[in-house]
């Protein structure tokens, strides 16, 4: 049986290793990881390049790593989950495994609550009053379904888990309880802590090898790309900014106003942030503006399957040659239609951002070969 794991591995750590071991032990013989590339969902560069992260995953339980294109990887929970699940279907996966803070039975109740007309009516009222979606949803669920479900829906991995369950059509969802440290926790537990805590250790020069099998020799420093991001925001016309993914309700005018007034991304984010627009959503918008990701592109079904790495003995997992398979990048890119190339070109631009942010030999997507783990 083939299991899919939609992931970021930012960085790959012992919690991820535990998840893959649990899947192999209880659910599947083979694991295909569908992983974000150079940019991640919170609206930032990954801590290091996708090849380093994929290679670590292949050494620690993954059988193949396929890229979740940047257009979808840097989106809100629903398109992130939907696109990942569609890739899993294309690859013939039978189960989708993910970490969550609640059992599947509770998650299914949460899904039903999120689709309840009474809940959605209250969500709309609260968002119209200025609340951002997660808080509005939590308060609406509390009013209609009670405090227990409301508390469960505010747990960070549960929000994404709901979207995985909603997106699964031909694939069976399997929720695996997270071990010890929760998402974005800054408290370590024995050999497990969150990705956020490990990123902090890496960037501050602290020892982190207790918590991850990964060695990050060239961490991405986003300060290196701040100038490019500021230049893009300051010079991008309103009409182009309005087409960027996530921009609505005249937000382009506020972005331009802040970009004109301030010379740091931190200041821009601080003055853009409201109850309605979370920091993560705003960061995604700023990065999407730099990379040229439009709402139209984000609504396009995933047009290709980019294989980053595979175990030597599992080469049969690689999708058969065809218009969607991208394995030998230089040759397979030319087989893509113009719409697919437009989306792949965003991956290339994201890698160039990573090249600027890392103090390392630049990666060339067209000459970088397939990783054989």
């Amino acid at each position: 049986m083939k299991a899919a794991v939609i992931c970021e591995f930012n960085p790959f750590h012992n919690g991820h290793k535990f998840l893959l071991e649990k899947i192999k032990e209880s659910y599947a013989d083979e694991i295909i990881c569908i992983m974000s590339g150079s940019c991640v969902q919170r609206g930032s560069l990954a801590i290091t390049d996708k090849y380093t992260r994929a290679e670590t995953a292949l050494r620690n339980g993954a059988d193949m790593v396929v890229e979740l294109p940047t257009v979808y990887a840097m989106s809100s929970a629903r398109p992130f989950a939907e696109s990942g699940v569609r890739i899993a279907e294309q690859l013939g996966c039978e189960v989708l495994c993910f970490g969550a803070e609640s059992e599947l039975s509770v998650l299914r109740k949460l899904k039903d609550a999120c689709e309840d007309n009474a809940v959605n009516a209250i969500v709309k009222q609260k968002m119209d009053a200025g609340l951002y979606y997660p808080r509005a949803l939590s308060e609406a669920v509390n009013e209609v379904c009670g405090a227990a479900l409301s508390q469960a829906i505010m747990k960070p991995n549960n929000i994404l888990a709901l979207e995985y369950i909603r997106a699964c059509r031909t694939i069976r969802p399997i929720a695996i309880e997270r071990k010890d440290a929760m998402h974005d926790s800054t408290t370590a537990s024995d050999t497990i802590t969150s990705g956020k805590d490990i990123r902090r250790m890496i960037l501050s020069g602290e020892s982190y090898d207790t918590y991850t099998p990964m060695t990050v020799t060239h961490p991405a420093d986003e300060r290196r790309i701040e100038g490019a991001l500021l230049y893009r925001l300051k010079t991008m016309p309103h009409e182009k900014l309005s087409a960027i993914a996530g921009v609505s309700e005249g937000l382009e005018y506020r972005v331009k106003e802040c970009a004109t007034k301030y010379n740091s991304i931190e200041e821009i984010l601080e003055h853009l942030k409201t109850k309605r627009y979370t920091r993560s959503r705003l960061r995604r918008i700023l990065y999407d503006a730099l990379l040229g990701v439009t709402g139209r592109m984000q609504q396009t079904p995933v047009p290709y399957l980019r294989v980053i790495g595979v175990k030597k003995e599992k080469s049969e997992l690689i999708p058969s040659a065809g218009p969607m398979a991208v394995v030998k990048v230089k040759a397979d890119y030319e087989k893509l239609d113009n719409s697919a190339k437009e989306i792949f070109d965003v991956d290339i631009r994201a890698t160039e951002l990573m090249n600027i942010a890392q103090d390392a030999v630049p990666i060339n997507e067209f000459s970088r070969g397939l990783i054989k783990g």
Side-chain angles (χ1 to χ4, degrees):
M1 183 176 286
K2 283 193 288 191
V5 174
I6 302 170
C7 54
E8 295 190 315
F9 296 156
N10 184 34
F12 186 98
H13 56 62
N14 291 343
H16 297 131
K17 187 174 181 179
F18 166 80
L19 175 66
L20 299 188
E21 287 172 350
K22 183 71 174 177
I23 294 170
K24 286 279 178 81
E25 176 187 311
S26 304
Y27 302 108
D29 306 309
E30 298 169 323
I31 300 174
I32 296 175
C33 292
I34 302 163
M35 186 187 79
S36 301
S38 299
C39 295
V40 294
Q41 198 204 12
R42 59 189 284 267
S44 70
L45 289 172
I47 190 66
T48 193
D49 67 273
K50 59 192 173 190
Y51 299 100
T52 300
R53 286 149 51 221
E55 191 170 16
T56 305
L58 290 170
R59 291 199 311 266
N60 290 276
D63 294 294
M64 186 166 76
V65 180
V66 176
E67 183 169 6
L68 179 60
T70 305
V71 166
Y72 314 102
M74 206 160 51
S75 65
S76 59
R78 184 161 296 180
F80 179 94
E82 178 77 20
S83 55
V85 171
R86 298 290 82 80
I87 291 173
E89 289 176 342
Q90 291 283 341
L91 292 168
C93 295
E94 295 138 293
V95 295
L96 174 72
C97 299
F98 49 86
E101 289 93 352
S102 300
E103 295 179 354
L104 190 62
S105 59
V106 174
L107 294 172
R108 290 193 186 280
K109 288 178 183 178
L110 283 175
K111 173 183 173 292
D112 292 340
C114 292
E115 294 172 351
D116 184 280
N117 289 335
V119 169
N120 285 320
I122 296 171
V123 168
K124 184 178 185 305
Q125 291 173 4
K126 291 182 178 293
M127 289 187 70
D128 288 345
L131 283 188
Y132 66 96
Y133 177 73
R135 175 59 63 185
L137 180 60
S138 175
E139 292 187 6
V141 170
N142 182 54
E143 289 183 30
V144 177
C145 306
L149 279 184
S150 176
Q151 291 169 8
I153 208 165
M154 285 304 290
K155 295 177 179 177
N157 287 279
N158 283 355
I159 295 171
L160 195 51
L162 292 180
E163 297 302 338
Y164 289 144
I165 294 169
R166 181 182 275 123
C168 284
R169 299 169 191 164
T170 62
I171 297 177
R172 180 165 62 98
I174 295 174
I176 298 174
E177 184 180 1
R178 285 183 64 91
K179 186 175 177 64
D180 298 324
M182 293 294 105
H183 176 83
D184 273 359
S185 168
T186 55
T187 304
S189 175
D190 295 328
T191 61
I192 292 181
T193 191
S194 69
K196 179 180 181 179
D197 199 29
I198 298 171
R199 291 192 297 273
R200 178 193 60 76
M201 293 178 195
I202 292 169
L203 293 172
S204 64
E206 295 179 37
S207 174
Y208 57 87
D209 56 359
T210 300
Y211 306 106
T212 170
M214 189 177 204
T215 300
V216 179
T217 54
H218 301 288
D221 183 348
E222 290 189 300
R223 291 173 298 181
R224 290 171 173 257
I225 65 167
E226 184 169 26
L229 189 46
L230 286 168
Y231 176 81
R232 181 66 167 163
L233 295 175
K234 288 174 180 292
T235 59
M236 195 174 194
H238 286 95
E239 60 272 17
K240 285 190 176 294
L241 189 53
S242 67
I244 294 301
V247 174
S248 61
E249 302 170 322
L251 182 61
E252 65 271 20
Y253 294 101
R254 291 188 57 226
V255 172
K256 286 295 294 184
E257 181 183 4
C258 288
T260 301
K261 283 184 178 179
Y262 305 109
N263 270 334
S264 81
I265 297 304
E266 186 59 36
E267 285 180 303
I268 291 173
L269 286 170
E270 191 59 34
H271 287 85
L272 279 174
K273 186 179 64 173
T274 65
K275 289 181 179 180
R276 191 171 181 85
Y277 293 102
T278 65
R279 195 176 184 85
S280 291
R281 178 178 176 182
L282 291 169
R283 285 185 62 88
R284 286 195 296 267
I285 287 171
L286 300 192
Y287 267 79
D288 283 339
L290 179 56
L291 293 169
V293 179
T294 65
R296 172 186 57 78
M297 292 165 68
Q298 216 164 67
Q299 292 165 12
T300 302
V302 180
Y304 56 84
L305 302 172
R306 166 75 193 283
V307 182
I308 301 175
V310 66
K311 283 187 176 175
K312 293 176 183 176
E313 67 274 18
K314 296 290 184 177
S315 58
E316 74 277 1
L317 292 174
I318 296 175
S320 301
M324 287 190 67
V326 178
V327 181
K328 297 178 179 178
V329 178
K330 189 171 184 179
D332 292 338
Y333 175 83
E334 295 304 324
K335 300 175 188 174
L336 301 175
D337 62 26
N338 289 336
S339 176
K341 284 180 178 176
E342 181 183 41
I343 290 174
F344 195 93
D345 287 345
V346 175
D347 293 340
I348 295 171
R349 293 196 288 272
T351 295
E352 292 300 350
L353 276 187
M354 180 64 72
N355 284 337
I356 295 169
Q358 284 186 303
D359 182 18
V361 176
I363 295 166
N364 184 327
E365 290 279 37
F366 290 103
S367 61
R368 186 68 164 83
L370 183 71
I371 296 170
K372 296 288 185 71

